[in-house]
């Protein structure tokens, strides 16, 4: 083998969505958001940390004036016993009453996090609350959440990259992919994620 250092891309078994495919789709979503929200007072809410890469690219394809804000949440959810209990780690910086809120998420899985967030924000009397997600795993849904904007529907597989992590790694991959099996084997739990406290 070469003497090159091991890269995060070396840990990826299969690229599911190339950087080019993502770029094209994000541009399309930006155009749709620009058209749908023209003339409205809109606030894009990035759900940290997973959505930060998507958010950064999406806003540069939005051509109307928008405000941006961030929230950070942790969800206690297990594959078998999803509680839907979400803790707000960082709330919005400013009020949203009367604004059109668009929640920007990395992925909707069980939907429990978004279901909670949507209700939480709706209580503050915004003009509307909608959801824009890069990825959607509809097979895993437990809460009644249908994203208003979705980049890609994907099968029930754990994916990383373009903001999405496994144990805080791989967020900086420019594409979305599936890690090699040895990645799961390396960690102490020997388990595919989602059974622990995770930052979304
Ligand atoms: P939900 O409440 O089950 O919809 O949780 C969604 C959160 O779980 C996302 O914001 C992600 O942080 C995390 N998540 C779910 N599926 C994946 C995945 O395939 N890769 C990385 N993170 C994931
Ligand atoms: Mg995560």
């Amino acid at each position: 083998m070469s003497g090159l250092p091991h890269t995060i891309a070396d840990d990826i078994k299969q690229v599911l969505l190339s950087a080019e495919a993502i770029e094209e789709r994000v541009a399309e979503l930006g155009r749709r958001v620009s058209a749908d929200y023209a003339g409205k007072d809109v606030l894009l809410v990035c759900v940290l940390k997973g959505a930060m890469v998507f958010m950064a690219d999406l806003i540069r394809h939005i051509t109307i004036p928008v405000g941006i804000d961030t929230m950070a949440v942790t969800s206690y959810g297990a594959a078998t016993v999803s509680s839907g209990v979400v803790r707000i780690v960082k709330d919005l910086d400013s009020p949203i009453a009367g604004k059109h809120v668009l929640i920007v998420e990395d992925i909707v899985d069980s939907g429990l996090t978004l279901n909670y967030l949507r209700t939480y924000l709706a209580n503050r009397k915004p003009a509307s609350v909608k959801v824009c997600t890069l990825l959607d795993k509809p097979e895993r849904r437990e809460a009644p959440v249908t994203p208003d904007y979705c980049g890609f529907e994907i099968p029930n597989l754990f994916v990383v990259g373009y903001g999405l992590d496994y144990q805080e790694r791989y967020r900086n991959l420019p594409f979305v992919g599936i890690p090699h099996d040895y990645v799961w084997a390396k960690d102490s739990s020997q388990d595919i994620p989602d059974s622990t406290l995770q930052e979304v």
Side-chain angles (χ1 to χ4, degrees):
M1 292 293 285
S2 76
L4 292 175
H6 186 81
T7 71
I8 50 170
D10 292 335
D11 283 351
I12 302 304
K13 177 165 70 178
Q14 190 198 332
V15 175
L16 204 63
L17 304 166
S18 68
E20 295 72 26
I22 296 170
E23 158 73 22
E24 199 177 302
R25 187 69 181 139
V26 172
E28 167 65 22
L29 290 175
R31 283 193 291 273
R32 282 180 47 202
V33 169
S34 305
D36 294 353
Y37 285 90
K40 293 180 173 161
D41 187 4
V42 49
L43 182 72
L44 302 180
V45 174
C46 176
V47 185
L48 298 173
K49 296 178 249 185
M52 59 191 290
V53 177
F54 176 40
M55 175 85 162
D57 283 346
L58 179 68
I59 57 174
R60 284 176 285 177
H61 289 286
I62 295 178
T63 52
I64 58 168
V66 292
I68 64 173
D69 208 336
T70 60
M71 286 188 79
V73 300
T74 50
S75 65
Y76 301 81
T80 45
V81 273
S82 285
S83 61
V85 177
V86 173
R87 188 162 64 90
I88 308 288
V89 175
K90 182 212 166 283
D91 209 327
L92 296 176
D93 294 333
S94 19
I96 57 169
K99 290 182 194 267
H100 292 274
V101 173
L102 185 58
I103 303 173
V104 178
E105 254 288 26
D106 54 353
I107 185 165
V108 186
D109 190 23
S110 69
L112 292 167
T113 309
L114 257 182
N115 199 37
Y116 178 90
L117 264 186
R118 221 174 31 176
T119 311
Y120 182 79
L121 294 179
N123 279 334
R124 297 183 191 172
K125 308 283 177 252
S128 67
V129 182
K130 289 191 175 180
V131 173
C132 177
T133 187
L134 177 72
L135 305 176
D136 186 6
K137 278 188 208 171
E139 272 176 61
R140 301 236 321 154
R141 201 70 89 251
E142 290 172 41
V145 178
T146 308
D148 302 278
Y149 302 88
C150 171
F152 304 89
E153 276 193 11
I154 62 166
N156 182 15
L157 295 166
F158 197 86
V159 296
V160 297
Y162 199 74
L164 291 106
D165 73 305
Y166 172 59
Q167 299 198 335
E168 291 302 324
R169 298 177 88 175
Y170 308 111
R171 293 194 197 274
N172 51 322
L173 280 172
F175 53 83
V176 170
I178 303 160
H180 281 294
D181 296 343
Y182 68 73
V183 168
W184 320 127
K186 252 195 251 176
D187 91 80
S188 50
S189 71
Q190 297 268 323
D191 210 1
I192 295 194
D194 151 332
S195 54
T196 51
L197 175 68
Q198 58 176 208
E199 177 148 358
V200 294

